Amino acid sequence: MRIGADYYPEHWGDDVLVQDVCRMKELGVDIVRMAEFAWSRLEPREGEYCFDWLDRAVQLFGEAGIDIVLCTPTCTPPQWMFQCYPQIIQSGADGQPVPIGVRGHRCMNSPVFRNFAEKIIRKMVSHYRDEPHVVAWQIDNELEANHCRCPFCQEAFKKWMEKKYTSVEEINSAYGNIVWSGEYSDMQEVKPPTAAVLQWQNPSLTLDFNRYASDSTVDYVRFQQKIIREIAPDISVTTNNWLCENMPDFYDMFRDLDFVSYDNYPPVTLPEDKETLYSHAFHLDLMRGIKRQNFWIMEELSGALGSWMPMSPTPRPGMLKGYSAQAFAHGADAVLHFRWRTGCSGAEMYWHGILDHSNVPGRRYEEFADLCRWVKQWKEIEGSVVINRVALLYGSDQEYAFKLQHQAEGMYYMEQLKLLHDAFTAIGVGVDIIDEREALEGYDIVLAPNLHITKEAVTKKLYRYVEQGGRLLLTTRSGVKDSFNKCIMASLPTVFAELVGVRVTEYDVIGETTQTIQITDGAWQQAFEQTRELQWNGVDVVVTGSRWCDLLETDTADVLAEYGEEFYKGTPAVTENRYKKGVAYYVGTVLNRSAYISLAKRMAEECGLPYWEDLPLGVEVTKRVRDGKEWLFVFNNTMESKKIRTGECLQPFEMKVLL
Amino acid sequence: MRIGADYYPEHWGDDVLVQDVCRMKELGVDIVRMAEFAWSRLEPREGEYCFDWLDRAVQLFGEAGIDIVLCTPTCTPPQWMFQCYPQIIQSGADGQPVPIGVRGHRCMNSPVFRNFAEKIIRKMVSHYRDEPHVVAWQIDNELEANHCRCPFCQEAFKKWMEKKYTSVEEINSAYGNIVWSGEYSDMQEVKPPTAAVLQWQNPSLTLDFNRYASDSTVDYVRFQQKIIREIAPDISVTTNNWLCENMPDFYDMFRDLDFVSYDNYPPVTLPEDKETLYSHAFHLDLMRGIKRQNFWIMEELSGALGSWMPMSPTPRPGMLKGYSAQAFAHGADAVLHFRWRTGCSGAEMYWHGILDHSNVPGRRYEEFADLCRWVKQWKEIEGSVVINRVALLYGSDQEYAFKLQHQAEGMYYMEQLKLLHDAFTAIGVGVDIIDEREALEGYDIVLAPNLHITKEAVTKKLYRYVEQGGRLLLTTRSGVKDSFNKCIMASLPTVFAELVGVRVTEYDVIGETTQTIQITDGAWQQAFEQTRELQWNGVDVVVTGSRWCDLLETDTADVLAEYGEEFYKGTPAVTENRYKKGVAYYVGTVLNRSAYISLAKRMAEECGLPYWEDLPLGVEVTKRVRDGKEWLFVFNNTMESKKIRTGECLQPFEMKVLL
Amino acid sequence: MRIGADYYPEHWGDDVLVQDVCRMKELGVDIVRMAEFAWSRLEPREGEYCFDWLDRAVQLFGEAGIDIVLCTPTCTPPQWMFQCYPQIIQSGADGQPVPIGVRGHRCMNSPVFRNFAEKIIRKMVSHYRDEPHVVAWQIDNELEANHCRCPFCQEAFKKWMEKKYTSVEEINSAYGNIVWSGEYSDMQEVKPPTAAVLQWQNPSLTLDFNRYASDSTVDYVRFQQKIIREIAPDISVTTNNWLCENMPDFYDMFRDLDFVSYDNYPPVTLPEDKETLYSHAFHLDLMRGIKRQNFWIMEELSGALGSWMPMSPTPRPGMLKGYSAQAFAHGADAVLHFRWRTGCSGAEMYWHGILDHSNVPGRRYEEFADLCRWVKQWKEIEGSVVINRVALLYGSDQEYAFKLQHQAEGMYYMEQLKLLHDAFTAIGVGVDIIDEREALEGYDIVLAPNLHITKEAVTKKLYRYVEQGGRLLLTTRSGVKDSFNKCIMASLPTVFAELVGVRVTEYDVIGETTQTIQITDGAWQQAFEQTRELQWNGVDVVVTGSRWCDLLETDTADVLAEYGEEFYKGTPAVTENRYKKGVAYYVGTVLNRSAYISLAKRMAEECGLPYWEDLPLGVEVTKRVRDGKEWLFVFNNTMESKKIRTGECLQPFEMKVLL
């Protein structure tokens, strides 16, 4: 376990740098990240490189025994490049160049830009290749899927399409282009979907464009990665992932990189409503699942957030230390705080670091110091990993499809995943979040909500998993589409109907309103009452459905719950189907938090998975193992102190490690 | 009475087509509409026509005895046309071509587009001229007023202005252009109002531009109609009307067409608040009034709506059948459901038809089957018509003017009409909604809210109507403007002041807040109390005004109600004026629903018009007559069962026909 | 004291003009303003001038003894100019010409436009130079800071930058451009910040651009002023100021003009919540402070507002007279009502004048007549001035900086000033609002909230002021930035820390939520209880902080109040520091209205400033003095009648003048 900070030597004079290195050494900081925005200082004029200021920082950190991650500075080309080579500017959905002045406005496909990028990367990697303290390279910064519509990208999209489809006739058929006379008669007509509201466009085109945009960013990462490895074959290469509206497929993006990094900004204010989800554990498990191995936090919350909007409140006492500890518990091997000190200029000047503008160590600095001590104390867990028996499947195609066609008011793909992740987390059962294309060996339970876009390989794998004794949970909006985002002409859940043993006869899209759900299954009902008693403190919660209601007709399945209102009162809502050696559950609506938690208990119970029936809500239990040794991490992610069954009491945001 | 469905043979293979024809025949479907979006299949490449797939469908439907409406496919030119002739693309308010990819993006004025349109129409009409089952042509699809600002349309607007006005001096004077130095010195300066917020532009210009936009669409309809009639002089021609933000004057649009069609999507969820209006009967009466004759429903609600937004709930049991029956009751001669089956591709894939994606007949299919049987049962009403004694005047100029200058928070022209329509509907009195330019013979009561833009002919007609014994109701915001949308310099309601016998001394724009209204007229007060008792179930409703308060001073009128609050407490709010042989009412505010219902009772009572004093709210009574025979339709447009005075009980959305 | 109206002879025929002059004379109107939008009538075609219609009006008003303010008509160039010289059209943030058709769309920097402007101004001023009744010129109309991005303005900005900075290196350092590689390598890269969200741009650039935009408008005013003075050296020159989102620095703008004019539109509906501020006295004091002398109201509320949005309610009885009297009480020497009559055409036709469209004198006309009589009654106060002992500092840089970086939800610079202005107004103590650059001699108390952008001269002046015995109040967000809008690396409030004797150890941005504040100072607590009793009628108000909480550590200061909640409960929130001969207060949060009022009492008490402890909330007391004579104005700015300690009772909006 290593602790670090993100640092910008180019922003400060030498005095400050010397003081900072000294303070970091004193605290026991292991690692710093530098240079991801420094291109204008590294190449102040075309072809004129200047590394001395970075050499000085590398030297000082090295002398202090602090390791270094260096970055390719390609996120922010210098102003001279935009001025002299305007063709490198990204275009928006309307085909016009975007206004520059912030970051990230380069077109990743532009040959001119790539040429400059290649040169600076070659120079930098060659220059620092032999520095013993430079331990990894970060590619660019917080990459998004490439939705640029510049002339070059328009051509790139057409080429992508020509590679995927052999003729316009094939596209017309795959897309159902005949609707509204959208048929192409020539490849010249194939263009990225234009401006305005994307949901007015053919959903097959918009999904393919999202796939292209992801592939385009993956290609850009590969381009940089190859240059780095050519010069420094043994160094680790990563990029810092974040979760934005516009994500590339991160399984693809990290395929050829060494480890996953993530920029982690957990909430500084927690919701008061118990039914509202907020745990950041979900994101940590998602990151660990990308390569199914430990990961880094490349940026971690250090103070109030700001810049793009009014500032947030300052993180509450315990948050800085606790959220970092939570990351370690979920498989982080390093946590770097963003940022060591708060910037005094630029648009991000109110994104607060460990040190405030004042440069006077304060409350958060002391908490960071405390975190550093804590990390040293648990150095021994280095090399340990997280092993779970429940898998939750994520698919970028599913997420794209849900975003492109917003099906029901308040219904989001990620929300479905979070509800299921939360349910098992709430009973102390660890969850791996993995790509839907991954193998399922070793899992007792697989959760696969909203399998909207179907792919034969995934479908077959799931049948096989259940046939061989697995327990699979599917939900509403599964089996809706073929891989081109066209609806399948069969009773929902179409390809999964046999597996779950139910058919959807009709659906009612209820959005933000709710439906009463009656549990008809004894074991689940008992688990629900127990949950209410032990975890909800007897609060009078009920089971509800929202967003969407599938009206089910069972073929081979048993009914676990039914609807309690409307013309479909008494119709099955949740079912269970014994299929060969396994069991397939189907949830035809979006259940609320307490309902899912109790369902998780029932499922865990059935397959003998150990769980905590009385874990206080908001307290998380995680295990890391190595060589037969186990560390149990217990984290109180709430604003109140919590007592657990071992008798121990945790303060807000406190992490305890039990051996 | 005929029942039908909208159908897209081009979307499906032959197997599906054969099955569909077979099912429709079995159900007794009378008619289908086809081909309004099929241009890319009818002319896959420039000048290359291909009708065989449509021939096949026409043949199969014909053989099954099912009639056919064919459409000109001009709403969706093929992609090759946009690619090769980009000048046919519409321009937005900023003068730039709009992003294509959806439907309706052709400029109706473009000579290149018109040339292609003429060719395909000639080809199609010639080809199907002799098909006995092809009974009508639909022109294009859901036309809007043409607000295109392409270079050609800019010129077209200038020509329209040159035709209306002889000189820039005449325009300057008519528009009051001197304000803010807006005077033209040359016709070259005359341009459509540009982008941004239209209410910042001269209201005379924006109103004329709306009139031009309407005329432009009417011209486009005439262009198509002439081609069709030239080739097939005896066939019926229509276009499918809808109500959008941007409507052409539909009286003009349908003048030379044979009958009105309407796309009817009544609400799938009803409001809970009794003061909220929702009846779709208003739209049906509006459509019947366009040509003062029976009409068709060309598209009718069949399932959950979707595509542009999260999906709606599924229509409740009874809605499909009930809403269709309601249309028949109000004068529809045919109802075609949109659509037979739900599309599996394209942006509209979640706009649900009678059959779901699954192709498995379900609840709604059964309800449609039931509707088909019901229609057969009442075939005899064919040829009957609806005759009413109350007229409600609509004027497209009034609607444009209110939209262009939003006068008071929450105040919409259509709302005023709906309130008055609802008041008489609620007491079982049928209302004709007709063009303000129409003759008023045969009406006992004429309702003319918001006669904002005055025209001499209309004004004179209304005076004559009252002089000869008619009863006329006018409201606030009448007489405000001359025909150029300039304010008239005289006490409001200016040209109507003598008729109503009141003058407005000042007004108070209260928006969404309310004013207490005190009824001072005994008969109205009694009717209000009766309404509360019999229709509102004794619920404690009060009389309120909102949006706008005219402070009235009576000349010859009697006061029916006065304001109860503010500095104008005690000032007249509603008056009645005996003028020659008739009576003219003036409502100086926007009354609430219960107030208008009781006022309607008082007015009906006075002129001996039969009405239902105890009709349950939400139950509608309509009469169709032919050759002295009468059919009384009673429809329960609520979610609860309702008992009427005949003792009969109607289930939600049930229609009973009493002889 | 003079009373007047804004008049548009070009809108009406001669009959109306003659009637209007006659009516105004009868009422005793002293002055009219004309011609600010009449360019198209003054120069109907290029180079063809036509003044006869204006001559006629000038002649008639002159004969009636009514004085005249004439305007340069440069706000609205004629259509022929836009048509023939499109380069005079302003460009938006995207660099594209804005759609014309409303007013104000000329680029103030355009040489072509300036050339036309100079010609018309020369013609007009020469033509009317010798008219005895023409007493002043108004330049243009309601000017905004010039944010045009046309090519000419882009160049102008670059020149402004070249004048301020000697090299790109100097800019890079001043701006901290290294962040995100924003460094310039050549002056050609220096451009106005482009479209999209300005807060995404470097805050140093956006602040400088705002300063440039202000300077650009100031230059335009100077350009016009010089022409006028060259021809008519002795005439008064002004421009009509308003408060928009986009204001130039009005101290700069009026520096070379003779007096300040203001367009005054006080609220027609008052808020019901007592904690909500609404007094328009703030704006009047702000205007008086611009040149620290009496001012004019060039446009004053006369009826319902309209045009850009739904119309407002009509002004309540008493408002027209009362708000004008309020303006006189705060230092206005003339009040001109906008407008004499309501326009019948153009986009502003619903912005109501004294006469409605009807041309029939009504309630508001009578109230205006009453006002005219009242003004005659108090003619003797002419030449008297307002002298106060409390100053409130305003800085345009502060306002720009707060708008460019919205720091906390709900936190606005102007709100901070209004809270403090309100606190002293509520206890009958007059406040001067003056430029932060002004001298502070003669003030017992200086209020300087949010001194965000620091400037050495201001800082030194404030230290000196306190050293010499002054009482200064500073608040949160002071001392944050250097003059380039970069954060200062020192404990907040940085340069003011010694003066206030506290340091901010951390801050918590709480936005719209609130914090309990515990007053720990006895005198303040007593004042608060008295305020609750005497002014709040015993209503149960409490002291709260919102928006922002500075966590304070005292060095030399005493604690007046502390936080009552959260992890910083008990931490100082408000402090007082005796510094040399004076006192410096620091308020670390945004207090609520009742808290500030009681704090004002405590401060007034301490320095022996007379105040009204029992002035009813909403009643304002103002004093004008001349030659030892005093007039005490008491104004009831509420909807209820109020009794004051003299025993007199004031009706809503009534003004009493006590000698």
Side-chain angles (χ1 to χ4, degrees), chain B residues 289-574:
Chain B
I290 292 178
K291 292 188 82 72
R292 303 184 78 164
Q293 70 184 34
N294 286 0
F295 59 99
W296 285 30
I297 299 297
M298 200 60 100
E299 300 186 6
E300 171 75 29
L301 175 73
S302 302
L305 310 180
S307 300
W308 313 127
M309 63 187 71
M311 287 171 242
S312 78
T314 193
R316 277 30 217 157
M319 278 187 175
L320 256 63
K321 186 179 169 195
Y323 280 137
S324 294
Q326 183 193 30
F328 285 119
H330 282 267
D333 279 345
V335 174
L336 282 76
H337 279 253
F338 186 84
R339 43 199 279 176
W340 173 255
R341 59 169 59 258
T342 312
C344 283
S345 67
E348 220 175 48
M349 56 166 64
Y350 292 129
W351 200 279
H352 291 73
I354 293 161
L355 278 164
D356 282 325
H357 296 121
S358 66
N359 196 26
V360 177
R363 182 186 65 84
R364 300 195 315 282
Y365 186 90
E366 292 311 321
E367 192 170 314
F368 178 73
D370 195 34
L371 170 64
C372 291
R373 286 188 290 272
W374 186 84
V375 169
K376 301 288 168 238
Q377 188 181 339
W378 296 105
K379 278 275 178 201
E380 52 168 332
I381 71 163
E382 190 99 45
S384 66
V385 295
V386 178
I387 294 175
N388 291 316
R389 289 167 63 189
V390 175
L392 173 61
L393 305 192
Y394 169 92
S396 62
D397 269 352
Q398 314 300 350
E399 181 155 15
Y400 294 156
F402 268 80
K403 280 185 181 164
L404 290 168
Q405 292 184 295
H406 186 45
Q407 317 226 336
E409 220 186 329
M411 193 185 199
Y412 302 98
Y413 176 64
M414 277 299 195
E415 185 201 41
Q416 312 302 305
L417 272 74
K418 284 180 180 174
L419 273 163
L420 289 166
H421 178 270
D422 171 78
F424 284 88
T425 299
I427 60 169
V429 174
V431 177
D432 286 350
I433 306 173
I434 59 173
D435 188 357
E436 63 182 25
R437 294 165 294 192
E438 284 283 326
L440 304 177
E441 276 68 43
Y443 290 114
D444 294 333
I445 293 174
V446 170
L447 311 165
N450 295 158
L451 282 181
H452 200 64
I453 303 287
T454 58
K455 287 165 202 158
E456 211 184 337
V458 174
T459 307
K460 280 190 174 157
K461 182 179 62 188
L462 292 172
Y463 269 88
R464 212 159 45 230
Y465 170 72
V466 179
E467 283 168 6
Q468 294 170 358
R471 289 169 180 273
L472 173 70
L473 184 144
L474 298 181
T475 73
T476 182
R477 306 316 285 147
S478 294
V480 179
K481 303 283 190 77
D482 65 15
S483 70
F484 301 107
N485 211 8
K486 289 205 306 296
C487 291
I488 295 173
M489 195 190 276
S491 284
L492 287 169
T494 71
V495 298
F496 301 113
E498 185 192 331
L499 184 57
V500 294
V502 299
R503 277 168 300 112
V504 178
T505 62
E506 189 173 5
Y507 43 71
D508 192 26
V509 185
I510 65 171
E512 304 272 21
T513 66
T514 55
Q515 246 288 348
T516 309
I517 303 289
Q518 304 287 355
I519 300 179
T520 56
D521 174 69
W524 183 7
Q525 181 64 35
Q526 202 179 327
F528 181 73
E529 273 155 29
Q530 190 202 64
T531 301
R532 186 159 59 193
E533 187 64 34
L534 296 180
Q535 296 189 274
W536 238 261
N537 305 324
V539 169
D540 193 25
V541 288
V542 293
V543 182
T544 60
S546 64
R547 315 311 190 217
W548 193 281
C549 297
D550 280 337
L551 280 51
L552 302 180
E553 195 167 281
T554 55
D555 286 330
T556 57
D558 297 319
V559 178
L560 299 186
E562 59 190 34
Y563 296 105
E565 292 175 81
E566 276 293 346
F567 70 90
Y568 45 93
K569 181 175 175 169
T571 304
V574 184

Side-chain angles (χ1 to χ4, degrees), chain C residues 87 126 130 166 224 404 508 627:
Chain C
Q87 68 269 46
S126 307
D130 302 320
T166 56
Q224 292 214 11
L404 291 168
D508 191 27
D627 310 330

Side-chain angles (χ1 to χ4, degrees), chain A residues 109-182:
Chain A
N109 276 329
S110 157
V112 171
F113 169 71
R114 287 224 177 171
N115 188 33
F116 279 113
E118 175 158 0
K119 280 186 195 156
I120 187 83
I121 297 170
R122 284 194 181 280
K123 289 276 178 192
M124 284 182 82
V125 179
S126 306
H127 188 85
Y128 294 108
R129 177 170 40 185
D130 302 321
E131 279 291 342
H133 280 281
V134 173
V135 296
W137 281 88
Q138 173 188 303
I139 290 175
D140 208 283
N141 181 67
E142 294 188 345
L143 287 160
E144 300 187 31
N146 176 33
H147 283 76
C148 176
R149 265 88 156 192
C150 76
F152 195 87
C153 285
Q154 301 233 8
E155 201 53 38
F157 176 61
K158 199 182 300 166
K159 279 183 192 148
W160 185 94
M161 290 286 282
E162 282 169 340
K163 207 169 151 189
K164 179 164 181 180
Y165 302 99
T166 56
S167 66
V168 288
E169 288 72 23
E170 190 187 343
I171 302 174
N172 288 338
S173 162
Y175 283 15
N177 269 341
I178 174 58
V179 171
W180 296 348
S181 284

